[in-house]
Amino acid sequence: EKSDALAQAGRAQTATEEIQQTVTRLTVEFGKCESRTRELQQMLDATTSQRIDAEMRASQAETALNELSKASGMLVAAREESDSRAQDMRQRLAVLAAVNTDAENRAGRAEVALQESQTRNEALLAANEEAQSRLKGVQHE
């Protein structure tokens, strides 16, 4: 019995040592797991921070895009207004060109009429002078 008890005590001692080694090994592994968990948590925190930054930048980009879209719309409207004004100016210029051409034609006709009138006036003046000369000649006789 004593040897049985000693044998059991030996086995219990061996089992205890094995358990202590296993506990030590598990403690080391647990420490490694805790360390890896902290690393992963830091990576997760960094990723979360990057995601938040990316969401903020995306929101800012969306706001900028909306502002650009509004500005583009205003530019299109301004371009349409400018095109409309340019068309109006072209129409006015065409009317002015027609009026100018008509005025030039009338001025040309007036100039011809003036020259004809001057020619007639000169002829009438010459005829008048001749008539006066004859009248003087008749009065002297």
Side-chain angles (χ1 to χ4, degrees):
E1 268 183 41
K2 200 175 188 181
S3 75
D4 239 1
L6 284 175
Q8 278 183 348
R11 286 193 299 271
Q13 179 68 29
T14 301
T16 301
E17 289 172 3
E18 287 176 2
I19 289 171
Q20 285 177 342
Q21 289 174 358
T22 302
V23 167
T24 301
R25 197 170 61 249
L26 289 174
T27 301
V28 169
E29 287 300 317
F30 181 74
K32 289 179 184 178
C33 287
E34 280 185 331
S35 176
R36 183 66 179 146
T37 300
R38 280 192 298 275
E39 289 174 10
L40 291 173
Q41 185 61 49
Q42 289 173 349
M43 290 171 64
L44 178 62
D45 292 346
T47 302
T48 302
S49 176
Q50 289 172 354
R51 181 185 53 82
I52 291 169
D53 288 346
E55 287 175 354
M56 241 174 26
R57 285 193 305 273
S59 175
Q60 291 168 346
E62 187 175 350
T63 300
L65 183 61
N66 288 338
E67 290 174 4
L68 284 174
S69 179
K70 287 177 188 176
S72 177
M74 291 185 336
L75 285 174
V76 167
R79 174 62 189 260
E80 289 171 355
E81 175 68 20
S82 175
D83 288 348
S84 175
R85 287 183 182 178
Q87 180 63 29
D88 184 48
M89 290 297 179
R90 283 192 289 274
Q91 289 172 349
R92 288 181 184 183
L93 283 173
V95 168
L96 288 174
V99 167
N100 189 38
T101 300
D102 183 53
E104 286 175 354
N105 290 339
R106 281 188 280 155
R109 289 192 300 270
E111 191 175 324
V112 168
L114 179 63
Q115 288 173 354
E116 289 173 355
S117 176
Q118 283 177 339
T119 303
R120 281 193 308 269
N121 283 344
E122 288 171 1
L124 287 172
L125 189 58
N128 189 22
E129 287 175 0
E130 187 178 324
Q132 281 181 356
S133 174
R134 275 190 267 158
L135 181 62
K136 283 184 185 177
V138 169
Q139 282 178 348
H140 283 297
E141 288 177 13

